[in-house]
Amino acid sequence: MATAGETASPPAAGQRALRVWLYLLAALVVGMVAVGGATRLTGSGLSITEWRPVTGAVPPLSAEAWAAEFDKYKDTPQYRILNQGMGLSDFKVLYAWEWGHRLLGRIVGLVFFLPLLWFWWRGALTRRLGLGLLGLGLLGGLQGAIGWIMVASGLQPGMTAVAPLKLALHLTTASLILAGLVWLAAGLRPRVGTAEPARLRVTAVAIMGLVLAQIFLGGLVAGSKAGLVYNTWPSMNGMLVPHASELFAVSPWIENFVDNLTLVQFNHRLTAYLLLALALGHALDARRTRPGSGLARRATGIASLVVAQAGLGIVTLLLAVPLWAALSHQVFAMAVLTMATVHARATRSVTAAPSRESPTTPFGFETLAGRAA
């Protein structure tokens, strides 16, 4: 065994297995986001009024159990204000969406933790990878808590939907988990060569960060239903920039960024323009500086995805947010984030391939290594 402090470099086969696992998790997270979006758009998110992480995995199995769940939903403001008189069959449809969303979350947890224990036991994790995975595990637990806090906000008196800020945080946390998984997976593919220019590395990371910011703003738009106003483009009902009296009509002024539909949609538009300009400029710079390289191809791919996402966003707005367009827009944002994360990680640094002769110590076995030394 190696001396303490050295880190392991998993063999090629082990790295492939880790990459497959991480990308599988990333795909499950995207599925979770898609089902969550459908749950929101169908108004199903408040159909389950209790948070039961273990027993909640089993849906109602008898007529009595269904009646009991329906009675709990009847006590919610959403039912009394929006769905008064709804039948049990319609409630079951709402319940199925929310139950499926929560079940998928449980599946993601199992697919994360069980293989993690196996890879750790086999000594396949480096210190950096192990700590990164533990951090994502904690973030996943936080995501579950945010999800319940979000649902609880919609069960308060007078509420018919969840609080927009909590919805945006829930979506953004899921996006951070996706970005973390993809970042770790992309980092398992060693690259040998010359370092990329600093400005291209910085711009690649900036694009990834801006995509995350835009997803957060999109969550605010979705949660506040700001996409149902100003359904024109490029103007907002004849104005490229609304009057300040409209942008900051709410007092105190800080609440405009969450509660003022005009400012919420305007911020989402502005950030989209900034992201589009940055992605196109980065692609042109990469193609001029490193023509024909993987860097240039990735940058061009990101620019193409951002253009497509912007077009889809415009269509969603002009059509007043139909379910298919809104859901496509949300899921496609995950594709943009995935590509931006892979690009940022691949551009960030170039490392030499690990030496097969160098001693290694798997993550978590440092104490044993020290005794052996």
Side-chain angles (χ1 to χ4, degrees), residues 105 108 112-113 133-146 173 177:
V108 171
F112 177 80
F113 282 107
L133 289 169
L134 289 177
L136 287 178
L138 293 174
L139 193 59
L142 176 64
Q143 170 72 336
I146 293 174
T173 306
I177 293 172

Side-chain angles (χ1 to χ4, degrees), residues 28-45:
L28 286 173
V29 171
V30 173
M32 185 85 175
V33 170
V35 175
T39 299
R40 174 185 59 81
L41 290 165
T42 56
S44 306

Side-chain angles (χ1 to χ4, degrees), residues 207-231:
I207 290 173
M208 184 183 73
L210 202 55
V211 171
L212 285 167
Q214 180 69 332
I215 288 172
F216 173 78
L217 293 173
L220 288 179
V221 170
S224 63
K225 295 181 172 56
L228 297 177
V229 297
Y230 300 104
N231 297 108

Side-chain angles (χ1 to χ4, degrees), residues 155-202:
L155 300 176
Q156 299 302 310
M159 296 291 291
T160 60
V162 300
L165 182 58
K166 294 180 175 63
L167 174 66
L169 289 174
H170 191 52
L171 176 61
T172 305
T173 306
S175 302
L176 286 171
I177 293 172
L178 172 63
L181 291 168
V182 173
W183 182 277
L184 292 177
L188 289 173
R189 188 181 296 276
R191 299 176 64 248
V192 181
T194 58
E196 306 294 357
R199 71 176 184 282
L200 291 175
R201 298 199 304 270
V202 170

Side-chain angles (χ1 to χ4, degrees), residues 274-292:
L274 178 60
L275 176 59
L276 182 61
L278 185 61
L280 290 173
H282 178 67
L284 291 174
D285 190 11
R287 292 171 69 89
R288 185 185 69 252
T289 305
R290 298 290 306 278

